[in-house]
Amino acid sequence: MRLRRKPWIDEAILDFNDFVYTKGQSPSEEIKGHWHEVFDRQAPLYVELGTGKGDFISKTAALHPEVNFIGIELQQDVLYYAAKKVKELGLTNVRLMVFNIEQIENIFAEDEVDRFYINFCDPWPKARHAKRRLTYIGFLEKYRKLLKDNGELFFKTDNRPLFDFSLEQFELANLKVNALTFDLHNSEYQANNIMTEYERKFSGFGEKINRCEVTFTKQDKNNVD
């Protein structure tokens, strides 16, 4: 569903320019491999692909101050609300950016990321759009380059067809799937679960939430070429 444009956000989001890269202000390629300098410390780097309004990344970053977090979102009108939450919590371990994930290799260096999160991404239900799904093997190969050895991808969705498709893609990419559940909220993994905005909405409708953790290893990289 296309969101109604909010022109006032283009100016309002500038209030957060100390930790937000706004539309048209993507980080230069010089930052690749140097994100620890942006945060002014060495720490694990976790990246959320599709941050939305920021419930997940703000709450997760608050619980894990020892980790550096980056949230990527294509729509600036949405990211503004994530920035507000980060600011209200006084978090210094979060950076947000308006960016197209298809170009992710332009902003991260090989082996720079420790973990990716994909939460309730667009399922692109039509078969001809399969390559746009963030768990398509083409995207997985990009993540593979950017993740460290034994780097991780944490994936959640209410969309069972997308989840089944993703499991097939993980297998094609020779990736190890852990912590797999087709009903997160009634599983052993719920205790440490942080819900997103969509997760609250869909689970409120009685939808089951699918979740898994995927591990990328150096051996995997050598096996898929």
Side-chain angles (χ1 to χ4, degrees):
M1 183 177 69
R2 179 169 295 181
L3 296 176
R4 179 173 295 179
R5 185 85 172 87
K6 301 181 178 69
W8 59 269
I9 282 181
D10 291 343
E11 182 175 352
I13 200 170
L14 297 178
D15 291 340
F16 312 117
N17 61 8
D18 54 329
F19 64 93
V20 175
Y21 295 90
T22 58
K23 185 176 181 180
Q25 189 202 12
S26 299
S28 69
E29 288 204 21
E30 295 178 359
I31 290 180
K32 287 177 58 173
H34 299 280
W35 278 102
H36 63 281
E37 296 177 13
V38 173
F39 287 95
D40 197 26
R41 66 172 184 170
Q42 291 283 355
L45 183 63
Y46 292 2
V47 180
E48 185 182 19
L49 304 176
T51 293
K53 293 184 178 180
D55 268 17
F56 178 83
I57 197 169
S58 60
K59 292 176 182 177
T60 304
L63 287 174
H64 296 282
E66 76 283 1
V67 175
N68 294 334
F69 288 86
I70 296 177
I72 300 176
E73 172 59 48
L74 185 61
Q75 301 182 69
Q76 183 159 287
D77 285 12
V78 174
L79 194 69
Y80 167 78
Y81 298 99
K84 283 188 65 178
K85 291 169 185 173
V86 169
K87 187 75 170 183
E88 288 168 0
L89 291 172
L91 302 175
T92 60
N93 61 330
V94 179
R95 298 295 183 273
L96 302 173
M97 71 177 73
V98 181
F99 194 75
N100 189 335
I101 296 167
E102 292 181 0
Q103 302 169 13
I104 195 169
E105 292 169 299
N106 292 339
I107 55 173
F108 297 112
E110 187 170 348
D111 302 329
E112 186 171 20
V113 180
D114 292 89
R115 180 183 297 171
F116 284 115
Y117 292 101
I118 299 178
N119 295 315
F120 300 89
C121 60
D122 191 331
W124 291 102
K126 295 182 179 179
R128 68 176 184 271
H129 293 152
K131 292 183 179 180
R132 299 184 182 183
R133 299 168 189 163
L134 293 184
T135 53
Y136 175 68
I137 193 169
F139 279 106
L140 297 179
E141 290 172 354
K142 292 183 180 184
Y143 309 152
R144 185 192 308 278
K145 294 178 182 178
L146 306 179
L147 284 166
K148 296 178 180 177
D149 189 24
N150 292 315
E152 301 169 308
L153 168 64
F154 284 18
F155 176 51
K156 289 197 292 186
T157 180
D158 67 303
N159 189 294
R160 182 59 185 270
L162 173 63
F163 196 65
D164 291 341
F165 167 86
S166 301
L167 294 177
E168 293 173 357
Q169 297 297 294
F170 299 151
E171 183 176 2
L172 284 174
N174 296 322
L175 301 176
K176 182 180 180 181
V177 177
N178 311 292
L180 172 65
T181 177
F182 298 99
D183 188 4
L184 172 59
H185 294 174
N186 290 301
S187 76
E188 61 185 296
Y189 309 110
Q190 170 61 11
N192 296 318
N193 182 49
I194 296 177
M195 289 204 292
T196 74
E197 301 92 346
Y198 280 117
E199 187 171 354
R200 282 196 301 273
K201 175 181 177 181
F202 294 136
S203 61
F205 294 150
E207 298 285 345
K208 292 182 178 180
I209 307 302
N210 309 278
R211 179 189 184 273
C212 66
E213 301 174 7
V214 183
T215 302
F216 294 70
T217 68
K218 291 294 186 180
Q219 184 177 0
D220 294 331
K221 294 183 181 183
N222 295 331
N223 286 342
V224 182
D225 287 316

